[in-house]
Amino acid sequence: MGYKYVRNIFFGYVIIIIFGGLFLSLPICHKGELPFIDAIFTSASATCVTGLIVTSTSDNFTLLGEITILLLIQCGGIGYMTLVIIFYIFIRNRLTINEKRAMKESLDLPDLHVSSFVRKILLIVLVIELIGAIFLSIGFYEKYPLTDSIWYGIFHSISAFNNAGFSLFPNSLMDFQNNTLVLTIISCLVISGGLGYFVLIEIYENRKISKRFSIHTRIMIYGTIFLIIFGMILFLSIEWNNKDTFGNMSFYQKLLNSFFLSINFRTSGFNSIDIGALKDSSLFFSSLFMMIGGGQGSTAGGMKITTVAVLIITVIYILKESNQQPNIFRRTIDQKLINKALAIIMCSSFFVLFTALILIETQKLPLLKTLFEVVSAFGTVGVSTGNGGILSFSQQFDTFGKAIIIILMLAGRLGVFAFGLALVGKAKTKHFKYPTGRIII
């Protein structure tokens, strides 16, 4: 991982967040009072495709403000480096080696074949978001005029595919908890964005011969299916008789909303029920789902499905005391990959717990709700127990608390390794190695 390129990407996101906040602060972008920290928070939440809100998107922003938020979501989801490369491709055909390396770091590409990959990304994004916008516009047309339905369809399609969770409805999608079309399309968009560009491109290119899928794509597909089904079963078993969530729903509505909840709790911030009414056990397990997140090189955050899968496979082989190296699909997992997965999980867990401790002590708010908000910010998920109204729990934080959440969202978007590298720098290369020491564990 090149320090120079990671640092440039880090400062690029910071600059976009600041400029986005400044623009949202303009009177033409908002209605009434908008503190600057709330403008920066909204800009960071959109750029980091999180979805936590401290001011109502629909009530407090003008149409220009909503368009600005949407552009920040698209920029953050697809990656601002991708947009820069697209611009370069249009004005000239060839990229310099430094531009290719920067793009490789930004999207975790396996090689430097950047131009063709970016063109494929652009095509996939446009096609999926367009299809999503059309179907959502049809779904919203049942309740709203045609022009409003089209705008709502476009906004929510882009927000869903980029796993941002921003909604133009005050209570997110709670008014559509019985609308199969809207919830299904939103879910499909969230899943598509959470799988990652590599997986989407590979699925399309090998759509007739699934055996050609790479190990990464197989893990992502099987892992996503498992987490969705497991989440559904978990939420149904816990919330089945909860009158404030699933209790008063029909059997079909419970299945539909548990499916929607399981998907959005892991990567996006949409909700069709009152998150604040969930039982503590649901909130606890939801935090674990949010920490796992989506796929590498996707619009989702978290530690990533492949990272957790690698560590689980390794633990299984250690417990079995196998004489084989950890492997999956008849392919050995490289030891460096195992070390990296362990480091990501350890660093992410420590970072989340440490920042949660700071907020608990400084904000004097309930532990579980504060921890839930911290995990949601780091996982760039955006679901929240709420402030008692339509805003996120973060709305109750002071300026310092909101700044901590902004840092968490940025760290979650960049990845804990890249974020740490951008802040502390890279260690100097040493051309010697110490002798092996024996430690009893």
Side-chain angles (χ1 to χ4, degrees), residues 173-185:
L173 297 176
M174 289 177 62
D175 291 339
F176 297 90
Q177 62 182 211
N178 299 325
N179 192 315
T180 302
L181 177 62
V182 170
L183 296 190
T184 302
I185 295 300

Side-chain angles (χ1 to χ4, degrees), residues 1 105-109 193-199 216 220 293-307 340 344 414-415:
M1 185 178 288
E105 294 292 347
S106 177
L107 286 176
D108 293 312
L109 298 179
L195 285 173
Y197 299 120
F198 316 124
V199 177
H216 172 82
M220 278 304 307
Q296 193 70 6
S298 73
T299 59
M303 298 183 298
K304 310 303 184 207
I305 291 176
T306 47
T307 302
K340 185 177 179 180
I344 289 173
L414 284 174

Side-chain angles (χ1 to χ4, degrees), residues 26 32 42 85 106 121 131 133 136 143 145 171 198 202 220 234 245-246 300 319 338 358-359:
L26 297 176
T42 303
I85 297 302
S106 177
I121 289 178
I131 294 173
L136 287 177
K143 285 192 172 186
N171 57 357
F198 316 124
E202 195 169 336
M220 278 304 307
L234 190 68
T245 54
F246 293 163
L319 293 176
I338 296 172
I358 292 174
L359 287 175

Side-chain angles (χ1 to χ4, degrees), residues 391-402:
L391 303 179
S392 300
F393 188 70
S394 298
Q395 191 272 336
Q396 301 182 63
F397 295 167
D398 57 23
T399 300
F400 175 77
K402 290 175 182 177

Side-chain angles (χ1 to χ4, degrees), residues 101-289:
R101 285 174 176 170
M103 184 65 187
K104 182 178 182 295
E105 294 292 347
S106 177
L107 286 176
D108 293 312
L109 298 179
D111 52 48
L112 291 177
H113 296 147
V114 170
S115 298
S116 60
F117 190 83
V118 168
R119 288 190 179 95
K120 292 174 183 176
I121 289 178
L122 182 61
L123 179 61
I124 284 176
V125 169
L126 291 176
V127 170
I128 292 178
E129 289 180 350
L130 178 61
I131 294 173
I134 292 171
F135 280 103
L136 287 177
S137 297
I138 295 171
F140 293 142
Y141 187 57
E142 296 177 6
K143 285 192 172 186
Y144 300 98
L146 180 60
T147 53
D148 289 344
S149 299
I150 293 173
W151 171 236
Y152 292 155
I154 293 171
F155 189 96
H156 287 83
S157 178
I158 294 174
S159 181
F161 178 74
N162 289 288
N163 282 225
F166 274 86
S167 176
L168 294 179
F169 307 121
N171 57 357
S172 191
L173 297 176
M174 289 177 62
D175 291 339
F176 297 90
Q177 62 182 211
N178 299 325
N179 192 315
T180 302
L181 177 62
V182 170
L183 296 190
T184 302
I185 295 300
I186 291 286
S187 298
C188 290
L189 287 167
V190 171
I191 291 171
S192 300
L195 285 173
Y197 299 120
F198 316 124
V199 177
L200 293 177
I201 290 172
E202 195 169 336
I203 289 174
Y204 176 75
E205 292 181 342
N206 300 295
R207 57 191 180 280
K208 294 182 180 179
I209 309 175
S210 60
K211 291 183 179 179
R212 291 182 180 175
F213 289 158
S214 65
I215 296 176
H216 172 82
T217 296
R218 292 184 190 182
I219 292 176
M220 278 304 307
I221 293 173
Y222 293 142
T224 298
I225 293 172
F226 171 79
L227 288 171
I228 291 172
I229 295 174
F230 181 71
M232 284 182 65
I233 295 171
L234 190 68
F235 291 127
L236 284 172
S237 61
I238 296 174
E239 302 292 334
W240 187 270
N241 294 317
N242 186 349
K243 294 181 180 179
D244 295 323
T245 54
F246 293 163
N248 296 323
M249 294 182 180
S250 66
F251 179 74
Y252 173 74
Q253 289 173 340
K254 288 179 180 179
L255 288 179
L256 176 64
N257 284 272
S258 63
F259 172 73
F260 187 80
L261 188 66
S262 179
I263 292 168
N264 284 274
F265 247 141
R266 190 166 47 82
T267 61
S268 185
F270 293 106
N271 61 284
S272 60
I273 61 171
D274 182 7
I275 302 299
L278 290 172
K279 294 181 179 179
D280 288 347
S281 50
S282 292
L283 294 178
F284 174 77
F285 281 109
S286 300
S287 299
L288 300 180
F289 280 104

